[in-house]
Amino acid sequence: MRDMIAYCGLDCEKCDAYLATIHDDQTLREKTAKLWAELNNAPIMPEHINCEGCRVNGIKTVYCDSLCRIRQCALKKGMTTCGDCTEMEKCQTVGTITSNNSAALKNLKG
């Protein structure tokens, strides 16, 4: 499985935080911070929009680094992704992503 597939199955290479980071795109950081702040009703600033990928060494957004329950669970269980977990099909935590994103589910099963 590619390193840029997150624990939940999302493709980090398509994430605006990742794209803003690797291209050092301040405009995309600002746009993403504004959108994410509105969607999450949280104080997200452009300087928070830096991430090199969920499963690789390097900087991550605050959410991905320490608040994402999916990532924390996979790390605790020593899983490469949720796709390696025998409980994935009935897991409500990763289900919040896979039930609305068929590509993420395909990445985990792939």
Side-chain angles (χ1 to χ4, degrees), residues 1 5-8 54-55 70-88 108:
M1 181 171 290
I5 298 301
Y7 292 101
C8 64
C54 178
R55 293 182 27 238
I70 296 168
R71 183 173 184 273
Q72 295 306 313
C73 179
L75 286 170
K76 181 180 173 184
K77 291 182 176 183
M79 301 289 169
T80 302
T81 69
C82 293
D84 295 333
C85 183
T86 59
E87 300 172 24
M88 183 185 84
L108 292 174

Side-chain angles (χ1 to χ4, degrees), residues 9-28:
L10 292 175
D11 187 342
C12 292
E13 291 177 318
K14 295 179 180 176
C15 175
D16 286 341
Y18 173 79
L19 293 170
T21 303
I22 64 163
H23 297 295
D24 195 19
D25 185 335
Q26 188 61 24
T27 302
L28 183 55

